[in-house]
Amino acid sequence: SKEEEAVDALRTRYEAAGQGHVFAHWDKCDEGERNALAAQLRSVDLDHVKKIFDRSIADHDTGAAAKGEIEPVVADASVLKASAEDLSEWREAGLGVASLGELAVVLLAGGQGTRLGSSAPKGMYDIGLPSGRTLFRLQAERLAKLMAMSSEEANQGAPVRVPWYIMTSPHTHAATEKYFHDNEFFGLDSAEVTFFQQGSLPCFTPEGKIIMQSKHEMATAPDGNGGIYAALHHSGVIDDMEKRGIRHVYAYCVDNALVKVGDPTYVGFCALRNVEAGAKVIAKAYPEEAVGVFTRRNGEVHVVEYSEMPAELASATDPETGKIKFDAANVVLHYYSFDFLKKCCAPDDVVQSSLVYHVAKKKVPRVTEDGAGTETPDAPNGIKLEAFIFDVYKYAKDVAFLEGERGADFAPVKNKEGTGKDSPDTARALIDALHREWIMNAEGSVDEDDDDGLGVTHADGKRYVEVAPAASYAGEGLEPVVRSYFMGFVPAGLSIEPVRDNKRAAENAIDEDEPPAKK
């Protein structure tokens, strides 16, 4: 039959590649199991994965030391030191890019909230703000505000469209799509939101043999967030961007509660420099901080992960400034020109044909000898291959680095509530501190007493201040909102929403003869 012929051809292909053992228990499989295994085996480009394995193992065996000395990366500019004129010029350029329909935003959202104590996609996690906004909602509303600002300031009020491409994983895809549908895409146009899945690779023995997890299933693992480039190609996203006329792409991770989605100041900074790639970095807080840092080796840009950085380099200081020498921390705020991103994604171009994956030696569950079950070995038996999103920087002919501000750009949510480190409680505190500062800058003050009983007290006993993204993207335009509260006293424990009724703002505006609100 045709089916038998197709299986024979598949078996021949795997045997020719030295992987014939994947059929070892074929005779013990029922029809459903055989169909599942055949479908999985057909989905693997054997030649491609063998090349990835061979070059990645060779690179791993060479060792970092043999690849040359690393030099620190120094940011080209800093939002903390730039003049008001420069910041305004960059922001204007970024809003202009968005208004022309040339900006796309890519979100890495493949992770589950396992370390947060949740099996749901991490983006669905409620970090405990007064509004109950989840990470997905916060980011959707910030994107909506970016489009509104671009429309108003750069497009004479005409609508602005910034497509949002969300990379999920097999574990999070269905739940993420359902969550967006159930919440009506948080007010965004569903035609502007695209979901696509990151890929996976077989797990291998150290000798390069594919590991079978059961008699009818290969052991596979996600190909890392660097698998985004292959996924952008396979899913058709790159083609969609090209049809839309996208010229600039902003990418970030879902677990940053402070991320400025589509950050116009940063996008404008990169666009004006006409670079292939960019990174917004923050200064390391202390030498042992668990973040990778941007470095240069032989003129190429690399990220060295904290686990790979020798202790003496991690703690090295600049003799002139006394600051940490390697302190350009990578917090996954990435910029790409579309042309460079397209090159990174093309299967036959230099990036995909030479990209080295990171080798992780793991305990990989494997089929038992008799094919009847699955066992987990006591010691690492397998290799998982992972690419990292930053691995492509070395292929860019120019990279622009902008130093951001930790308290305004980076609030990671990785660990369980109450751990006090990169957790929902630390993210809430960072948002609270920033938003209080915004209110003060808008000539307001925070009413901690909340005599009206409007605010909510968190389970940790604190009242947090939260400015809704629709009210302000980065602290701008809050004066009318502050004036809508009596004497500019904004209650703690509330989500501060935009003023819809300007009459109320006018009635409650602080009289010029009255003393200024206490600070």
Side-chain angles (χ1 to χ4, degrees):
S1 73
K2 277 188 178 177
E3 280 179 22
E4 286 171 338
E5 283 176 19
V7 169
D8 286 344
L10 193 60
R11 190 190 292 260
T12 302
R13 183 153 67 88
Y14 271 79
E15 284 173 350
Q19 304 286 358
H21 64 281
V22 299
F23 285 92
H25 302 291
W26 181 263
D27 295 341
K28 297 173 187 165
C29 296
D30 61 31
E31 189 184 355
E33 290 169 338
R34 286 180 179 184
N35 290 340
L37 177 56
Q40 190 187 29
L41 294 176
R42 278 190 204 100
S43 72
V44 176
D45 181 337
L46 270 178
D47 184 49
H48 177 62
V49 298
K50 182 180 187 316
K51 284 176 180 170
I52 290 175
F53 179 85
D54 288 347
R55 67 176 179 257
S56 301
I57 291 294
D59 180 84
H60 179 76
D61 291 345
T62 304
K67 295 172 191 170
E69 294 287 312
I70 56 169
E71 297 292 329
V73 155
V74 178
D76 302 299
S78 169
V79 298
L80 300 162
K81 297 170 189 164
S83 67
E85 290 78 13
D86 280 346
L87 291 169
S88 175
E89 183 190 7
W90 300 339
R91 182 177 179 275
E92 195 177 310
L95 292 176
V97 159
S99 75
L100 293 169
E102 293 180 350
L103 176 65
V105 172
V106 174
L107 164 59
L108 279 66
Q112 292 169 285
T114 314
R115 278 158 65 187
L116 296 164
S118 162
S119 60
K122 204 182 265 191
M124 288 169 59
Y125 194 83
D126 170 1
I127 62 169
L129 293 172
S131 66
R133 283 183 176 90
T134 61
L135 291 166
F136 277 143
R137 180 178 287 278
L138 272 174
Q139 292 162 22
E141 291 182 11
R142 285 178 193 153
L143 180 57
K145 180 63 171 175
L146 170 71
M147 290 189 273
M149 292 190 306
S150 177
S151 165
E152 188 181 326
E153 297 180 43
N155 212 32
Q156 299 175 319
V160 167
R161 295 179 182 278
V162 177
W164 198 15
Y165 300 97
I166 300 173
M167 185 172 82
T168 63
S169 66
H171 301 296
T172 64
H173 189 80
T176 300
E177 278 201 315
K178 182 178 186 302
Y179 184 64
F180 272 76
H181 281 282
D182 289 350
N183 288 280
E184 298 177 332
F185 287 79
F186 309 103
L188 297 172
D189 180 351
S190 62
E192 303 299 318
V193 182
T194 302
F195 302 96
F196 67 105
Q197 285 192 59
Q198 78 179 97
S200 60
L201 284 170
C203 299
F204 294 91
T205 67
E207 297 73 38
K209 298 290 186 188
I210 292 171
I211 295 175
M212 293 299 288
Q213 181 173 303
S214 70
K215 65 180 186 287
H216 64 278
E217 186 181 7
M218 282 187 298
T220 61
D223 55 6
N225 58 21
I228 187 169
Y229 305 106
L232 285 167
H233 170 79
H234 293 312
S235 63
V237 166
I238 278 289
D239 291 340
D240 186 61
M241 286 183 182
E242 191 155 34
K243 282 188 196 123
R244 289 171 177 266
I246 298 300
R247 306 303 313 146
H248 309 271
V249 180
Y250 172 94
Y252 72 99
C253 278
V254 75
D255 58 8
N256 180 355
L258 272 176
V259 64
K260 295 186 180 93
V261 180
D263 190 344
T265 303
Y266 165 46
V267 167
F269 169 83
C270 293
L272 288 169
R273 277 161 177 72
N274 197 29
V275 291
E276 289 198 327
K280 195 176 199 185
V281 297
I282 58 168
K284 280 181 80 170
Y286 50 92
E288 303 80 25
E289 187 179 12
V291 286
V293 291
F294 279 97
T295 66
R296 278 194 172 85
R297 181 190 289 129
N298 304 325
E300 296 174 342
V301 171
H302 293 263
V303 170
V304 177
E305 282 293 75
Y306 65 93
S307 56
E308 298 169 1
M309 178 69 93
E312 67 274 11
L313 289 183
S315 58
T317 53
D318 184 313
E320 288 181 25
T321 63
K323 290 184 177 175
I324 299 170
K325 191 175 177 184
F326 291 90
D327 82 333
N330 169 40
V331 291
V332 198
L333 300 173
H334 294 336
Y335 165 88
Y336 308 85
S337 72
F338 174 76
D339 290 339
F340 176 64
L341 183 61
K342 184 182 176 186
K343 183 172 119 175
C344 292
C345 300
D348 302 322
D349 213 314
V350 62
V351 178
Q352 287 302 317
S353 56
S354 67
L355 188 65
V356 167
Y357 285 58
H358 298 251
V359 172
K361 295 177 179 176
K362 301 280 187 181
K363 295 177 189 176
V364 178
R366 64 193 174 200
V367 66
T368 52
E369 273 191 48
D370 59 6
T374 298
E375 62 186 15
T376 301
D378 296 329
N381 63 315
I383 285 170
K384 292 184 178 182
L385 296 170
E386 264 193 322
F388 294 153
I389 188 169
F390 51 70
D391 287 336
V392 301
Y393 276 97
K394 72 174 188 177
Y395 297 97
K397 68 172 188 282
D398 38 29
V399 182
F401 291 97
L402 178 65
E403 183 190 6
E405 182 181 358
R406 180 179 286 266
D409 283 307
F410 189 49
V413 183
K414 296 180 184 296
N415 303 316
K416 217 168 188 171
E417 171 79 29
T419 52
K421 185 179 179 185
D422 297 350
S423 50
D425 41 303
T426 58
R428 274 197 310 279
L430 286 163
I431 290 172
D432 175 77
L434 180 66
H435 291 191
R436 283 171 185 267
E437 186 183 320
W438 290 358
I439 288 165
M440 300 284 272
N441 291 341
E443 301 299 318
S445 56
V446 175
D447 178 8
E448 304 289 355
D449 303 330
D450 184 27
D451 297 330
D452 299 334
L454 298 171
V456 295
T457 303
H458 191 272
D460 63 12
K462 296 174 187 168
R463 285 180 183 274
Y464 292 95
V465 172
E466 174 190 5
V467 175
S472 185
Y473 181 86
E476 78 297 322
L478 275 174
E479 289 78 9
V481 180
V482 166
R483 285 198 299 271
S484 72
Y485 292 94
F486 178 67
M487 289 185 69
F489 288 112
V490 178
L494 268 190
S495 171
I496 312 305
E497 303 294 329
V499 178
R500 301 293 182 202
D501 181 356
N502 286 327
K503 225 171 27 173
R504 182 184 169 213
E507 286 166 4
N508 285 344
I510 303 166
D511 193 272
E512 284 182 17
D513 297 330
E514 292 205 33
K518 67 186 178 190
K519 290 190 182 179

